[in-house]
Amino acid sequence: MSLAAHEEGREAELAAPFVEIKNLSFARGERLIFDNISLSIPRGKITGIMGPSGTGKTTLLKLIGGQLRPDAGEVWVDGQNVHALPRKALFALRQRMGMLFQHGALLTDLSVFENVAFPLREHTRLPESMIRDLVLMKLNAVGLRGARDLHTAELSGGMARRVAFARALALDPQLVMFDEPFTGQDPMTLGVLVRLIRSLNDALGLTSILVSHDVAETLSIADQLYLLAEGKVVAAGTAEDMRSNASPWVQQFMQGLADGPAPFHYPTDSLHADFRLSAPEIRA
Amino acid sequence: MIEFLARLGGGVLHALARLGRWFGFMLSLLPALPASLLRPRLVVDQLYQVGVLSLQIILVAGAFVGLVLGLQGYSILATYGSAESLGVVVALSLVRELGPVLTALLFAGRAGSALTAELGLMKSTEQLAGMEMMAVDPLKRVVAPRFWAGVIAMPLLAALFSLVGVLGGFAIGVGLLGVDSGSYWSQIQSQVDFHEDIVNGVLKSLVFGVVAAWIALFEGYDCLPTAEGVSRATTRTVVNTSLAVLGLDFIMTALMFNV
Protein backbone atom coordinates (compact mmCIF):
# COMPACT_ATOMS: atom_id res chain seq x y z
CA MET A 1 0.00 0.00 0.00
CA SER A 2 1.37 3.41 -0.95
CA LEU A 3 1.83 6.04 1.73
CA ALA A 4 -0.88 8.20 0.17
CA ALA A 5 -3.36 5.31 0.22
CA HIS A 6 -2.41 4.57 3.80
CA GLU A 7 -2.96 8.18 4.83
CA GLU A 8 -6.25 8.21 2.97
CA GLY A 9 -7.40 5.11 4.82
CA ARG A 10 -6.39 6.65 8.11
CA GLU A 11 -8.27 9.85 7.38
CA ALA A 12 -11.37 7.87 6.44
CA GLU A 13 -11.10 6.00 9.75
CA LEU A 14 -10.80 9.24 11.70
CA ALA A 15 -13.73 10.76 9.83
CA ALA A 16 -15.98 7.78 10.65
CA PRO A 17 -18.19 8.33 13.68
CA PHE A 18 -16.91 6.75 16.90
CA VAL A 19 -20.37 5.53 17.90
CA GLU A 20 -23.16 4.72 15.47
CA ILE A 21 -26.64 3.75 16.52
CA LYS A 22 -28.62 2.25 13.70
CA ASN A 23 -32.41 1.81 13.77
CA LEU A 24 -32.42 1.03 17.48
CA SER A 25 -35.61 -0.01 19.25
CA PHE A 26 -35.85 -0.85 22.93
CA ALA A 27 -38.83 -1.49 25.17
CA ARG A 28 -39.23 -2.01 28.90
CA GLY A 29 -42.25 -4.26 29.28
CA GLU A 30 -45.08 -2.59 27.39
CA ARG A 31 -43.37 0.79 27.24
CA LEU A 32 -41.43 1.62 24.10
CA ILE A 33 -38.35 3.65 25.13
CA PHE A 34 -36.71 3.95 21.68
CA ASP A 35 -38.60 3.62 18.47
CA ASN A 36 -36.21 3.01 15.58
CA ILE A 37 -33.74 5.79 16.33
CA SER A 38 -30.43 6.42 14.60
CA LEU A 39 -27.62 8.63 15.93
CA SER A 40 -24.01 9.11 15.15
CA ILE A 41 -21.40 10.37 17.60
CA PRO A 42 -18.39 11.94 15.86
CA ARG A 43 -14.83 11.25 16.99
CA GLY A 44 -13.07 13.80 19.18
CA LYS A 45 -16.21 15.86 19.80
CA ILE A 46 -18.64 16.38 22.66
CA THR A 47 -22.10 15.20 21.72
CA GLY A 48 -24.93 16.27 23.98
CA ILE A 49 -28.01 14.11 24.27
CA MET A 50 -30.88 16.02 25.83
CA GLY A 51 -34.45 15.22 26.57
CA PRO A 52 -37.03 15.38 29.35
CA SER A 53 -36.67 13.00 32.32
CA GLY A 54 -37.78 9.48 31.49
CA THR A 55 -36.93 9.63 27.78
CA GLY A 56 -34.33 6.90 28.24
CA LYS A 57 -31.13 8.93 28.09
CA THR A 58 -29.40 6.75 30.68
CA THR A 59 -30.79 3.66 28.96
CA LEU A 60 -29.11 4.83 25.76
CA LEU A 61 -25.72 4.95 27.53
CA LYS A 62 -26.30 1.45 28.91
CA LEU A 63 -27.12 0.25 25.40
CA ILE A 64 -23.89 1.78 24.08
CA GLY A 65 -21.92 0.14 26.90
CA GLY A 66 -23.55 -3.24 26.19
CA GLN A 67 -25.21 -3.47 29.60
CA LEU A 68 -28.61 -3.70 27.93
CA ARG A 69 -29.57 -5.45 24.69
CA PRO A 70 -31.73 -3.69 22.12
CA ASP A 71 -34.90 -5.33 20.82
CA ALA A 72 -33.93 -4.30 17.29
CA GLY A 73 -31.15 -2.37 15.62
CA GLU A 74 -27.42 -2.15 16.20
CA VAL A 75 -24.90 -0.15 18.19
CA TRP A 76 -21.44 0.19 16.66
CA VAL A 77 -18.53 1.51 18.72
CA ASP A 78 -15.27 2.14 16.89
CA GLY A 79 -16.22 -0.27 14.14
CA GLN A 80 -17.43 -3.05 16.44
CA ASN A 81 -21.03 -4.20 16.77
CA VAL A 82 -21.39 -4.06 20.57
CA HIS A 83 -24.16 -6.62 20.92
CA ALA A 84 -22.56 -9.16 18.59
CA LEU A 85 -19.32 -9.24 20.62
CA PRO A 86 -18.50 -12.20 22.85
CA ARG A 87 -18.18 -11.30 26.54
CA LYS A 88 -14.39 -11.14 26.50
CA ALA A 89 -14.29 -8.80 23.51
CA LEU A 90 -17.05 -6.66 25.05
CA PHE A 91 -14.99 -6.31 28.25
CA ALA A 92 -11.94 -5.39 26.14
CA LEU A 93 -14.02 -2.72 24.38
CA ARG A 94 -15.27 -1.41 27.73
CA GLN A 95 -11.69 -0.81 28.79
CA ARG A 96 -11.65 1.83 26.07
CA MET A 97 -14.80 3.46 27.43
CA GLY A 98 -15.21 5.41 30.62
CA MET A 99 -18.58 6.10 32.16
CA LEU A 100 -19.60 8.58 34.77
CA PHE A 101 -22.74 7.46 36.52
CA GLN A 102 -25.27 9.99 37.74
CA HIS A 103 -24.24 9.61 41.38
CA GLY A 104 -20.61 8.71 40.74
CA ALA A 105 -20.97 5.00 41.58
CA LEU A 106 -17.74 5.19 43.59
CA LEU A 107 -16.86 2.11 45.58
CA THR A 108 -17.84 3.09 49.09
CA ASP A 109 -15.38 0.81 50.88
CA LEU A 110 -12.36 2.39 49.17
CA SER A 111 -10.63 5.76 49.53
CA VAL A 112 -10.49 8.33 46.72
CA PHE A 113 -7.01 7.10 45.76
CA GLU A 114 -8.07 3.45 45.70
CA ASN A 115 -11.18 4.25 43.65
CA VAL A 116 -9.09 5.79 40.90
CA ALA A 117 -6.49 3.01 41.22
CA PHE A 118 -9.21 0.33 40.98
CA PRO A 119 -9.32 -0.07 37.16
CA LEU A 120 -5.51 0.05 37.00
CA ARG A 121 -5.15 -2.67 39.62
CA GLU A 122 -7.79 -4.82 37.93
CA HIS A 123 -6.50 -4.53 34.38
CA THR A 124 -2.78 -3.92 34.56
CA ARG A 125 0.23 -5.34 36.37
CA LEU A 126 1.92 -2.00 36.85
CA PRO A 127 4.28 -1.55 39.79
CA GLU A 128 2.85 0.28 42.78
CA SER A 129 5.01 3.36 42.21
CA MET A 130 3.64 3.78 38.68
CA ILE A 131 0.05 3.26 39.84
CA ARG A 132 0.63 5.97 42.42
CA ASP A 133 1.94 8.41 39.82
CA LEU A 134 -0.86 7.66 37.36
CA VAL A 135 -3.57 8.03 40.01
CA LEU A 136 -2.12 11.33 41.21
CA MET A 137 -1.94 12.59 37.61
CA LYS A 138 -5.60 11.76 37.03
CA LEU A 139 -6.60 13.31 40.36
CA ASN A 140 -4.54 16.38 39.54
CA ALA A 141 -6.38 16.74 36.23
CA VAL A 142 -9.68 17.05 38.13
CA GLY A 143 -8.14 19.20 40.88
CA LEU A 144 -8.41 16.61 43.65
CA ARG A 145 -4.83 15.49 44.17
CA GLY A 146 -5.11 16.78 47.72
CA ALA A 147 -8.21 14.67 48.39
CA ARG A 148 -6.48 11.35 47.72
CA ASP A 149 -6.79 10.09 51.30
CA LEU A 150 -10.40 11.10 51.84
CA HIS A 151 -13.05 8.46 52.18
CA THR A 152 -15.90 8.57 49.65
CA ALA A 153 -18.35 9.47 52.44
CA GLU A 154 -16.39 12.68 53.04
CA LEU A 155 -16.84 13.96 49.47
CA SER A 156 -19.42 16.52 48.34
CA GLY A 157 -21.58 15.61 45.33
CA GLY A 158 -19.42 17.67 42.97
CA MET A 159 -16.20 16.18 44.32
CA ALA A 160 -17.59 12.66 43.98
CA ARG A 161 -18.31 13.34 40.31
CA ARG A 162 -14.82 14.66 39.76
CA VAL A 163 -13.34 11.56 41.40
CA ALA A 164 -15.57 9.43 39.18
CA PHE A 165 -14.29 11.43 36.21
CA ALA A 166 -10.68 10.75 37.25
CA ARG A 167 -11.52 7.05 37.61
CA ALA A 168 -13.19 7.01 34.18
CA LEU A 169 -9.96 8.44 32.75
CA ALA A 170 -7.71 5.96 34.57
CA LEU A 171 -7.28 3.59 31.64
CA ASP A 172 -6.98 6.43 29.10
CA PRO A 173 -10.26 5.65 27.35
CA GLN A 174 -11.21 6.92 23.90
CA LEU A 175 -14.87 7.41 24.78
CA VAL A 176 -16.27 8.93 27.97
CA MET A 177 -20.00 8.87 28.68
CA PHE A 178 -21.40 11.33 31.22
CA ASP A 179 -24.77 10.56 32.76
CA GLU A 180 -26.36 13.78 34.05
CA PRO A 181 -23.09 15.25 35.36
CA PHE A 182 -24.67 18.61 36.27
CA THR A 183 -27.74 17.49 38.22
CA GLY A 184 -27.96 18.94 41.72
CA GLN A 185 -24.70 20.92 41.57
CA ASP A 186 -24.15 24.46 42.84
CA PRO A 187 -23.26 27.11 40.21
CA MET A 188 -19.54 27.04 41.06
CA THR A 189 -19.28 23.28 40.77
CA LEU A 190 -21.29 23.46 37.55
CA GLY A 191 -18.72 25.83 36.08
CA VAL A 192 -15.87 23.57 37.19
CA LEU A 193 -17.49 20.48 35.66
CA VAL A 194 -18.29 22.23 32.37
CA ARG A 195 -14.71 23.48 32.00
CA LEU A 196 -13.27 20.11 32.99
CA ILE A 197 -15.32 18.18 30.46
CA ARG A 198 -14.42 20.58 27.67
CA SER A 199 -10.74 20.92 28.47
CA LEU A 200 -10.07 17.23 29.10
CA ASN A 201 -12.01 16.24 25.99
CA ASP A 202 -9.78 18.50 23.90
CA ALA A 203 -6.51 17.82 25.72
CA LEU A 204 -6.86 14.03 25.69
CA GLY A 205 -8.55 13.75 22.30
CA LEU A 206 -11.57 12.03 23.79
CA THR A 207 -14.97 11.43 22.28
CA SER A 208 -17.56 12.47 24.86
CA ILE A 209 -21.25 11.72 25.13
CA LEU A 210 -23.02 14.03 27.53
CA VAL A 211 -26.49 13.03 28.63
CA SER A 212 -28.22 15.87 30.39
CA HIS A 213 -31.36 17.90 30.76
CA ASP A 214 -29.47 21.01 31.87
CA VAL A 215 -29.97 23.10 28.76
CA ALA A 216 -27.59 26.03 29.30
CA GLU A 217 -24.59 23.93 30.38
CA THR A 218 -25.04 21.33 27.67
CA LEU A 219 -25.45 23.94 24.92
CA SER A 220 -22.36 25.75 26.14
CA ILE A 221 -19.98 22.82 25.60
CA ALA A 222 -21.55 20.37 23.15
CA ASP A 223 -20.30 20.43 19.57
CA GLN A 224 -23.36 18.55 18.44
CA LEU A 225 -26.72 17.89 20.07
CA TYR A 226 -29.59 15.46 19.84
CA LEU A 227 -32.94 16.05 21.46
CA LEU A 228 -34.89 12.91 22.31
CA ALA A 229 -38.58 12.78 23.14
CA GLU A 230 -41.15 10.00 23.12
CA GLY A 231 -38.67 7.46 21.79
CA LYS A 232 -37.62 9.51 18.77
CA VAL A 233 -34.90 11.98 17.84
CA VAL A 234 -36.92 15.19 17.51
CA ALA A 235 -34.02 17.48 16.64
CA ALA A 236 -30.30 17.30 15.89
CA GLY A 237 -27.61 19.85 15.17
CA THR A 238 -25.37 22.43 16.79
CA ALA A 239 -26.39 24.67 19.69
CA GLU A 240 -27.24 27.41 17.17
CA ASP A 241 -29.43 25.02 15.16
CA MET A 242 -31.26 24.10 18.35
CA ARG A 243 -31.90 27.69 19.37
CA SER A 244 -33.30 28.53 15.97
CA ASN A 245 -35.30 25.32 15.60
CA ALA A 246 -39.01 26.15 15.36
CA SER A 247 -40.26 22.70 16.35
CA PRO A 248 -42.66 22.99 19.31
CA TRP A 249 -40.83 20.08 21.00
CA VAL A 250 -37.52 21.92 20.82
CA GLN A 251 -38.99 25.23 21.91
CA GLN A 252 -40.80 23.69 24.87
CA PHE A 253 -37.63 21.96 26.06
CA MET A 254 -35.24 24.85 25.45
CA GLN A 255 -37.48 27.41 27.12
CA GLY A 256 -38.60 25.11 29.91
CA LEU A 257 -42.34 25.55 29.21
CA ALA A 258 -44.58 23.48 31.44
CA ASP A 259 -47.08 22.56 28.75
CA GLY A 260 -46.67 21.84 25.07
CA PRO A 261 -46.19 18.71 23.00
CA ALA A 262 -44.96 17.12 26.26
CA PRO A 263 -48.13 17.58 28.35
CA PHE A 264 -47.99 18.90 31.90
CA HIS A 265 -50.58 16.34 33.01
CA TYR A 266 -49.84 12.64 33.04
CA PRO A 267 -52.45 10.98 30.78
CA THR A 268 -55.67 10.40 32.72
CA ASP A 269 -59.47 10.84 32.57
CA SER A 270 -60.95 14.27 31.95
CA LEU A 271 -61.30 16.62 34.93
CA HIS A 272 -65.07 16.52 35.08
CA ALA A 273 -65.13 12.73 34.92
CA ASP A 274 -62.63 12.50 37.80
CA PHE A 275 -64.32 15.13 40.02
CA ARG A 276 -67.86 14.15 38.93
CA LEU A 277 -68.58 17.74 37.81
CA SER A 278 -70.78 19.03 35.05
CA ALA A 279 -68.92 20.92 32.32
CA PRO A 280 -69.84 24.57 33.30
CA GLU A 281 -68.41 24.10 36.81
CA ILE A 282 -64.87 23.70 35.45
CA ARG A 283 -62.96 26.91 35.17
CA ALA A 284 -59.73 26.96 33.29
CA MET B 1 -62.90 -18.11 43.58
CA ILE B 2 -61.32 -17.54 40.18
CA GLU B 3 -59.52 -14.52 41.56
CA PHE B 4 -58.19 -16.66 44.41
CA LEU B 5 -56.96 -19.31 41.95
CA ALA B 6 -55.36 -16.64 39.77
CA ARG B 7 -53.56 -15.18 42.77
CA LEU B 8 -52.45 -18.64 43.89
CA GLY B 9 -51.17 -19.43 40.39
CA GLY B 10 -49.42 -16.07 40.20
CA GLY B 11 -47.73 -16.74 43.53
CA VAL B 12 -46.56 -20.19 42.45
CA LEU B 13 -45.21 -18.83 39.15
CA HIS B 14 -43.42 -16.03 40.98
CA ALA B 15 -41.82 -18.51 43.41
CA LEU B 16 -40.75 -20.80 40.56
CA ALA B 17 -39.23 -17.88 38.67
CA ARG B 18 -37.24 -16.91 41.77
CA LEU B 19 -36.08 -20.49 42.22
CA GLY B 20 -34.97 -20.51 38.58
CA ARG B 21 -33.04 -17.29 39.06
CA TRP B 22 -31.49 -18.75 42.23
CA PHE B 23 -30.10 -21.72 40.29
CA GLY B 24 -29.20 -19.49 37.34
CA PHE B 25 -27.22 -17.27 39.71
CA MET B 26 -25.17 -20.26 40.87
CA LEU B 27 -24.61 -21.38 37.28
CA SER B 28 -23.13 -18.01 36.39
CA LEU B 29 -21.17 -17.87 39.66
CA LEU B 30 -19.54 -21.29 39.20
CA PRO B 31 -17.08 -20.26 36.45
CA ALA B 32 -16.05 -17.23 38.54
CA LEU B 33 -15.17 -19.33 41.62
CA PRO B 34 -11.79 -20.86 40.66
CA ALA B 35 -10.36 -17.54 39.42
CA SER B 36 -11.18 -15.75 42.66
CA LEU B 37 -9.05 -18.26 44.59
CA LEU B 38 -6.06 -16.87 42.69
CA ARG B 39 -6.60 -13.61 44.56
CA PRO B 40 -6.47 -14.87 48.15
CA ARG B 41 -6.26 -11.33 49.52
CA LEU B 42 -9.89 -10.68 48.52
CA VAL B 43 -11.02 -13.93 50.16
CA VAL B 44 -9.05 -13.21 53.34
CA ASP B 45 -10.61 -9.73 53.60
CA GLN B 46 -14.05 -11.29 53.39
CA LEU B 47 -13.12 -14.08 55.83
CA TYR B 48 -12.43 -11.31 58.30
CA GLN B 49 -15.78 -9.65 57.58
CA VAL B 50 -17.97 -12.76 57.76
CA GLY B 51 -15.83 -15.00 59.99
CA VAL B 52 -13.80 -13.03 62.50
CA LEU B 53 -16.51 -10.43 63.06
CA SER B 54 -19.03 -13.23 63.73
CA LEU B 55 -16.83 -14.76 66.44
CA GLN B 56 -18.31 -12.75 69.28
CA ILE B 57 -21.89 -13.91 68.82
CA ILE B 58 -20.83 -17.48 67.97
CA LEU B 59 -18.60 -17.87 71.05
CA VAL B 60 -21.07 -16.31 73.47
CA ALA B 61 -23.96 -18.35 72.07
CA GLY B 62 -21.83 -21.53 72.13
CA ALA B 63 -20.90 -20.96 75.77
CA PHE B 64 -24.50 -20.43 76.83
CA VAL B 65 -25.77 -23.45 74.89
CA GLY B 66 -23.05 -25.52 76.59
CA LEU B 67 -24.06 -24.19 80.00
CA VAL B 68 -27.72 -25.01 79.40
CA LEU B 69 -26.89 -28.46 78.02
CA GLY B 70 -24.80 -29.08 81.14
CA LEU B 71 -27.68 -28.14 83.43
CA GLN B 72 -30.41 -29.98 81.54
CA GLY B 73 -28.25 -33.02 80.76
CA TYR B 74 -27.18 -33.34 84.37
CA SER B 75 -30.70 -33.17 85.77
CA ILE B 76 -31.91 -35.93 83.41
CA LEU B 77 -28.81 -38.15 83.65
CA ALA B 78 -28.68 -37.88 87.43
CA THR B 79 -32.20 -39.36 87.56
CA TYR B 80 -30.77 -42.55 86.02
CA GLY B 81 -27.55 -42.44 87.98
CA SER B 82 -25.37 -41.83 84.95
CA ALA B 83 -24.29 -38.25 85.51
CA GLU B 84 -20.72 -39.12 84.48
CA SER B 85 -22.00 -39.49 80.90
CA LEU B 86 -22.67 -35.75 80.85
CA GLY B 87 -19.58 -35.06 78.72
CA VAL B 88 -20.67 -37.32 75.90
CA VAL B 89 -24.25 -36.00 75.92
CA VAL B 90 -23.02 -32.42 75.66
CA ALA B 91 -20.34 -33.20 73.05
CA LEU B 92 -22.55 -35.33 70.78
CA SER B 93 -25.45 -32.87 70.87
CA LEU B 94 -23.09 -30.09 69.91
CA VAL B 95 -20.93 -31.81 67.31
CA ARG B 96 -23.75 -33.60 65.52
CA GLU B 97 -26.58 -31.08 65.65
CA LEU B 98 -26.48 -27.92 67.68
CA GLY B 99 -23.05 -26.75 66.58
CA PRO B 100 -23.67 -26.77 62.81
CA VAL B 101 -27.35 -25.78 62.98
CA LEU B 102 -27.16 -22.96 65.53
CA THR B 103 -23.99 -21.61 63.94
CA ALA B 104 -25.75 -21.51 60.55
CA LEU B 105 -28.79 -19.75 62.06
CA LEU B 106 -26.60 -17.18 63.82
CA PHE B 107 -24.49 -16.83 60.67
CA ALA B 108 -27.63 -16.04 58.65
CA GLY B 109 -28.56 -13.31 61.11
CA ARG B 110 -25.11 -11.81 61.55
CA ALA B 111 -23.14 -12.35 58.33
CA GLY B 112 -25.79 -13.40 55.77
CA SER B 113 -27.91 -10.32 56.34
CA ALA B 114 -24.79 -8.12 56.12
CA LEU B 115 -23.77 -9.73 52.81
CA THR B 116 -27.24 -9.18 51.34
CA ALA B 117 -27.45 -5.58 52.51
CA GLU B 118 -23.94 -4.82 51.24
CA LEU B 119 -24.57 -6.27 47.78
CA GLY B 120 -28.05 -4.72 47.61
CA LEU B 121 -26.67 -1.28 48.44
CA MET B 122 -23.83 -1.73 45.95
CA LYS B 123 -26.48 -2.50 43.37
CA SER B 124 -28.72 0.43 44.27
CA THR B 125 -25.80 2.88 44.21
CA GLU B 126 -24.75 1.56 40.77
CA GLN B 127 -21.42 0.27 42.08
CA LEU B 128 -21.97 -3.12 40.43
CA ALA B 129 -23.02 -1.50 37.14
CA GLY B 130 -20.00 0.80 37.44
CA MET B 131 -17.70 -2.21 37.79
CA GLU B 132 -19.23 -3.82 34.72
CA MET B 133 -18.58 -0.64 32.76
CA MET B 134 -14.96 -0.74 33.96
CA ALA B 135 -14.81 -4.22 32.42
CA VAL B 136 -14.63 -5.82 35.86
CA ASP B 137 -16.98 -8.76 36.41
CA PRO B 138 -18.73 -8.19 39.75
CA LEU B 139 -19.36 -11.91 40.09
CA LYS B 140 -15.59 -12.53 40.07
CA ARG B 141 -14.53 -9.44 41.99
CA VAL B 142 -17.30 -9.09 44.57
CA VAL B 143 -19.49 -12.17 44.80
CA ALA B 144 -17.03 -15.08 44.47
CA PRO B 145 -14.68 -14.02 47.34
CA ARG B 146 -17.71 -13.57 49.61
CA PHE B 147 -18.99 -17.00 48.65
CA TRP B 148 -15.67 -18.66 49.48
CA ALA B 149 -15.50 -16.77 52.75
CA GLY B 150 -18.94 -18.08 53.77
CA VAL B 151 -18.07 -21.66 52.84
CA ILE B 152 -14.72 -21.58 54.66
CA ALA B 153 -15.91 -19.67 57.72
CA MET B 154 -18.97 -21.79 58.53
CA PRO B 155 -17.20 -25.08 59.51
CA LEU B 156 -14.59 -23.13 61.49
CA LEU B 157 -17.24 -21.18 63.34
CA ALA B 158 -19.25 -24.36 63.99
CA ALA B 159 -16.13 -26.07 65.37
CA LEU B 160 -15.49 -23.15 67.70
CA PHE B 161 -19.15 -23.11 68.74
CA SER B 162 -18.96 -26.81 69.68
CA LEU B 163 -15.62 -26.37 71.45
CA VAL B 164 -16.86 -23.50 73.59
CA GLY B 165 -20.09 -25.42 74.23
CA VAL B 166 -18.18 -28.46 75.53
CA LEU B 167 -16.18 -26.16 77.80
CA GLY B 168 -19.44 -24.55 78.99
CA GLY B 169 -20.85 -28.01 79.80
CA PHE B 170 -17.62 -28.77 81.66
CA ALA B 171 -17.85 -25.57 83.69
CA ILE B 172 -21.40 -26.37 84.82
CA GLY B 173 -21.09 -30.15 85.15
CA VAL B 174 -17.67 -30.38 86.74
CA GLY B 175 -17.29 -26.95 88.26
CA LEU B 176 -20.77 -26.55 89.73
CA LEU B 177 -22.56 -29.89 89.87
CA GLY B 178 -19.68 -32.13 90.93
CA VAL B 179 -19.34 -34.49 87.92
CA ASP B 180 -15.93 -36.13 87.85
CA SER B 181 -13.56 -34.28 85.53
CA GLY B 182 -11.84 -37.47 84.33
CA SER B 183 -15.19 -39.09 83.44
CA TYR B 184 -16.32 -35.99 81.55
CA TRP B 185 -13.31 -36.01 79.21
CA SER B 186 -12.73 -39.78 78.96
CA GLN B 187 -16.38 -40.41 78.01
CA ILE B 188 -16.07 -37.83 75.27
CA GLN B 189 -12.83 -39.41 74.08
CA SER B 190 -14.22 -42.92 73.95
CA GLN B 191 -17.76 -42.23 72.69
CA VAL B 192 -17.33 -39.49 70.10
CA ASP B 193 -16.37 -41.14 66.82
CA PHE B 194 -14.18 -39.18 64.43
CA HIS B 195 -15.87 -40.30 61.20
CA GLU B 196 -19.41 -40.86 62.43
CA ASP B 197 -19.71 -37.69 64.48
CA ILE B 198 -17.04 -35.14 63.76
CA VAL B 199 -16.69 -35.61 59.99
CA ASN B 200 -20.47 -35.69 59.57
CA GLY B 201 -20.79 -32.53 61.66
CA VAL B 202 -18.18 -30.76 59.53
CA LEU B 203 -19.92 -31.95 56.36
CA LYS B 204 -23.19 -30.52 57.62
CA SER B 205 -21.67 -27.15 58.33
CA LEU B 206 -19.96 -27.13 54.93
CA VAL B 207 -23.33 -27.69 53.26
CA PHE B 208 -24.87 -24.99 55.46
CA GLY B 209 -22.01 -22.67 54.50
CA VAL B 210 -22.69 -23.17 50.79
CA VAL B 211 -26.44 -22.69 51.20
CA ALA B 212 -26.20 -19.67 53.54
CA ALA B 213 -23.69 -17.84 51.32
CA TRP B 214 -25.61 -18.77 48.16
CA ILE B 215 -28.92 -17.44 49.52
CA ALA B 216 -27.42 -14.27 51.02
CA LEU B 217 -25.49 -13.35 47.87
CA PHE B 218 -28.37 -14.19 45.54
CA GLU B 219 -30.80 -12.06 47.54
CA GLY B 220 -28.42 -9.10 47.46
CA TYR B 221 -27.65 -9.49 43.77
CA ASP B 222 -31.29 -10.03 42.78
CA CYS B 223 -32.94 -7.43 45.01
CA LEU B 224 -34.84 -4.40 43.77
CA PRO B 225 -32.37 -1.51 43.94
CA THR B 226 -34.46 0.55 46.36
CA ALA B 227 -34.45 1.01 50.14
CA GLU B 228 -37.51 -1.23 50.44
CA GLY B 229 -36.04 -3.81 48.06
CA VAL B 230 -32.83 -4.11 50.09
CA SER B 231 -34.76 -4.34 53.35
CA ARG B 232 -37.00 -7.10 52.01
CA ALA B 233 -34.04 -8.99 50.58
CA THR B 234 -32.27 -8.88 53.95
CA THR B 235 -35.32 -10.30 55.68
CA ARG B 236 -35.68 -13.00 53.03
CA THR B 237 -32.05 -14.00 53.54
CA VAL B 238 -32.56 -14.66 57.25
CA VAL B 239 -35.89 -16.44 56.81
CA ASN B 240 -34.93 -18.55 53.78
CA THR B 241 -31.52 -19.51 55.18
CA SER B 242 -33.04 -20.56 58.49
CA LEU B 243 -35.71 -22.68 56.80
CA ALA B 244 -33.22 -24.21 54.36
CA VAL B 245 -30.79 -25.05 57.18
CA LEU B 246 -33.47 -26.69 59.32
CA GLY B 247 -34.86 -28.68 56.38
CA LEU B 248 -31.44 -29.79 55.16
CA ASP B 249 -30.40 -30.71 58.69
CA PHE B 250 -33.32 -33.09 58.98
CA ILE B 251 -32.49 -34.73 55.65
CA MET B 252 -28.76 -34.99 56.38
CA THR B 253 -29.33 -36.37 59.87
CA ALA B 254 -31.59 -39.07 58.43
CA LEU B 255 -28.98 -39.98 55.81
CA MET B 256 -25.86 -39.74 57.97
CA PHE B 257 -26.88 -41.37 61.21
CA ASN B 258 -29.11 -44.14 59.78
CA VAL B 259 -31.87 -43.41 62.23
Side-chain angles (χ1 to χ4, degrees), chain B residues 6-248:
Chain B
R7 237 185 296 151
L8 186 71
V12 171
L13 283 178
H14 181 71
L16 285 177
R18 276 187 64 78
L19 196 65
R21 289 204 304 280
W22 190 60
F23 280 106
F25 173 75
M26 184 44 97
L27 274 183
S28 44
L29 178 60
L30 278 178
L33 289 177
S36 72
L37 282 181
L38 298 176
R39 298 180 67 180
R41 177 77 200 279
L42 294 177
V43 180
V44 171
D45 280 352
Q46 290 309 316
L47 262 176
Y48 176 78
Q49 295 291 336
V50 302
V52 177
L53 295 183
S54 302
L55 270 178
Q56 193 184 18
I57 190 169
I58 296 289
L59 294 183
V60 172
F64 275 104
V65 169
L67 293 173
V68 170
L69 276 177
L71 283 175
Q72 291 283 11
Y74 181 84
S75 75
I76 294 166
L77 291 171
T79 318
Y80 302 101
S82 49
E84 66 280 3
S85 301
L86 181 66
V88 75
V89 168
V90 171
L92 282 183
S93 322
L94 282 166
V95 171
R96 284 180 168 194
E97 291 296 334
L98 294 177
V101 172
L102 289 181
T103 303
L105 296 180
L106 291 170
F107 183 91
R110 159 63 187 78
S113 57
L115 285 175
T116 303
E118 188 188 12
L119 268 190
L121 283 172
M122 286 182 87
K123 187 176 178 184
S124 66
T125 52
E126 294 186 308
Q127 293 181 50
L128 298 180
M131 273 191 199
E132 277 194 354
M133 278 309 296
M134 286 187 275
V136 175
D137 184 354
L139 283 175
K140 266 190 202 151
R141 178 62 175 68
V142 179
V143 179
R146 284 163 174 75
F147 181 79
W148 281 122
V151 174
I152 297 168
M154 187 76 91
L156 297 175
L157 290 172
L160 286 170
F161 185 99
S162 298
L163 177 74
V164 174
V166 170
L167 291 176
F170 179 84
I172 282 289
V174 177
L176 195 70
L177 302 169
V179 175
D180 179 55
S181 165
S183 311
Y184 189 89
W185 292 119
S186 64
Q187 289 264 354
I188 291 179
Q189 197 179 8
S190 62
Q191 299 289 316
V192 178
D193 185 72
F194 178 72
H195 291 286
E196 177 84 354
D197 302 315
I198 294 181
V199 171
N200 279 340
V202 171
L203 268 179
K204 271 188 180 182
S205 55
L206 255 181
V207 172
F208 295 158
V210 170
V211 171
W214 183 358
I215 291 177
L217 294 168
F218 166 74
E219 292 294 352
Y221 204 74
D222 189 64
C223 77
L224 281 178
T226 58
E228 196 196 359
V230 176
S231 128
R232 281 185 180 203
T234 312
T235 309
R236 271 202 305 269
T237 291
V238 178
V239 173
N240 292 352
T241 309
S242 306
L243 293 176
V245 162
L246 294 170
L248 282 170

Side-chain angles (χ1 to χ4, degrees), chain A residues 62 65 67 87 91 94-95 97 99 101-102 105-108 118-119 122-123 167 177, chain B residues 39 42 118 122 125-139 141 146:
Chain A
K62 289 190 171 173
Q67 286 185 302
R87 192 174 165 80
F91 270 41
R94 281 185 189 161
Q95 289 187 39
M97 302 177 181
M99 178 151 167
F101 284 83
Q102 197 168 351
L106 295 176
L107 300 169
T108 44
F118 183 81
E122 291 295 318
H123 294 300
R167 185 178 68 175
M177 298 188 274
Chain B
R39 298 180 67 180
L42 294 177
E118 188 188 12
M122 286 182 87
T125 52
E126 294 186 308
Q127 293 181 50
L128 298 180
M131 273 191 199
E132 277 194 354
M133 278 309 296
M134 286 187 275
V136 175
D137 184 354
L139 283 175
R141 178 62 175 68
R146 284 163 174 75

Side-chain angles (χ1 to χ4, degrees), chain A residues 19-24 37-40 60 64 74-76:
Chain A
V19 179
E20 264 205 290
I21 292 167
K22 298 177 182 171
N23 308 319
L24 180 94
I37 62 165
S38 296
L39 307 174
S40 85
L60 187 67
I64 295 173
E74 291 170 354
V75 177
W76 290 74

